[in-house]
Amino acid sequence: MLTVIAKITAQAGKEEIAKQALLGLIPPTVAEEGCIDYVLHQSNEDATIFYFYENWESQEHLDKHLANTHLVEFGKTSGEFLAGPAELILATKL
């Protein structure tokens, strides 16, 4: 199992737009083959920071996810409300 922790930072003042866009990624992602879970969190200390905690069956499933239409489309518009690209941590469950 592959775990991903993605740190996503919204532009100040655009937290709600970012939150709604990120929430919109959940339904199509959890329907993807190989997605075990895909859970969104928002920092209690800084409302501009969001985290996705994801578990995938394999790297191949994650790669397919990253190339999936809904994520590609999100990437095309996210510059309007995100401060930059997501920071990813990849880990393998022991």
Side-chain angles (χ1 to χ4, degrees):
M1 179 169 67
L2 178 65
T3 298
V4 178
I5 300 170
K7 179 182 178 185
I8 303 145
T9 305
Q11 295 174 21
K14 298 191 177 180
E15 299 88 352
E16 189 59 32
I17 295 167
K19 179 176 159 182
Q20 293 309 312
L22 293 167
L23 286 168
L25 295 175
I26 296 171
T29 299
V30 297
E32 290 179 46
E33 181 181 349
C35 180
I36 297 168
D37 56 17
Y38 192 74
V39 182
L40 182 63
H41 300 80
Q42 188 172 19
S43 172
N44 291 340
E45 297 169 0
D46 182 345
T48 66
I49 298 176
F50 296 86
Y51 298 94
F52 266 117
Y53 176 77
E54 313 170 25
N55 285 300
W56 296 91
E57 289 181 16
S58 69
Q59 180 68 52
E60 292 77 23
H61 287 104
L62 174 61
D63 291 342
K64 287 181 184 179
H65 164 66
L66 295 173
N68 215 320
T69 305
H70 66 276
L71 205 57
V72 172
E73 290 301 316
F74 174 83
K76 290 179 183 177
T77 60
S78 63
E80 298 172 11
F81 51 84
L82 295 185
E87 299 173 40
L88 300 180
I89 297 171
L90 303 176
T92 301
K93 184 177 180 181
L94 301 179

